[in-house]
Amino acid sequence: FASSWTAFYVARGLTAPIKALAEGADRIAKGELGYQVETLAEDELELLITAFNQMSGTLEQNAAELNERRKYIETVLQSLPTGVISVDSDNRVSTINPAARSMLRLEDRDHAGSPLSELLGDIDLLVFERLISRAKRIGHASEQTKLNIETAKDGSLGDSALSVAFTA
């Protein structure tokens, strides 16, 4: 009986902290970055739980810092007088600031996820794609050109051209 009870006690002392760590990892994976494991453990398991709690605290701090930086960058981007459009690898708009919307004479709506082909005409899109191709080959590229802006209500091109500098 004593050896069975001792085995049960030792096993419980090992499995409870491991189960708590597994639950903690699951909660962190679900986005609860600051989750702390609160369980009694000894020896190496105590070190593991302490390291886990430090890691989760660091994750929470880093997430908060990244969120603050993202807000700051968004604020700067929104107030820049220079038009900025960022696109993903599929040439879909990730962000577009008010200055770029104004320059391209776009309605004030969220263009995130829109293909760049909806914002630029065929000729301008070709210039952009050539620039992106060059940037992929050599790491960066810049080009100064003129964009043909739609000026008529029917979407036809007018005499308006906008001098721009593309950087990729």
Side-chain angles (χ1 to χ4, degrees), residues 28-29 32-34 52-66:
I28 286 177
E32 197 176 327
L33 299 180
F52 181 90
N53 288 338
Q54 288 173 345
M55 178 201 66
S56 67
T58 302
L59 281 173
E60 186 175 41
Q61 288 173 344
N62 289 347
E65 185 178 320
L66 284 173

Side-chain angles (χ1 to χ4, degrees), residues 10-24:
V10 169
R12 189 168 181 209
L14 292 174
T15 58
I18 292 173
K19 182 180 177 192
L21 283 170
E23 289 172 357

Side-chain angles (χ1 to χ4, degrees), residues 9 14 30 38 52 55 59 66 74 92 95 111-112 118:
Y9 179 77
L14 292 174
K30 290 180 180 174
E38 303 291 336
F52 181 90
M55 178 201 66
L59 281 173
L66 284 173
E74 286 177 357
R92 293 189 168 279
T95 58
H111 293 276
E118 287 181 10

Side-chain angles (χ1 to χ4, degrees), residues 17 22 27 31 36 61 74 91 113 126 136 142-143 156 165:
R27 290 181 74 167
Q36 298 286 302
Q61 288 173 344
E74 286 177 357
N91 289 345
L126 258 153
K136 285 180 180 176
S142 296
E143 185 165 332
S156 64

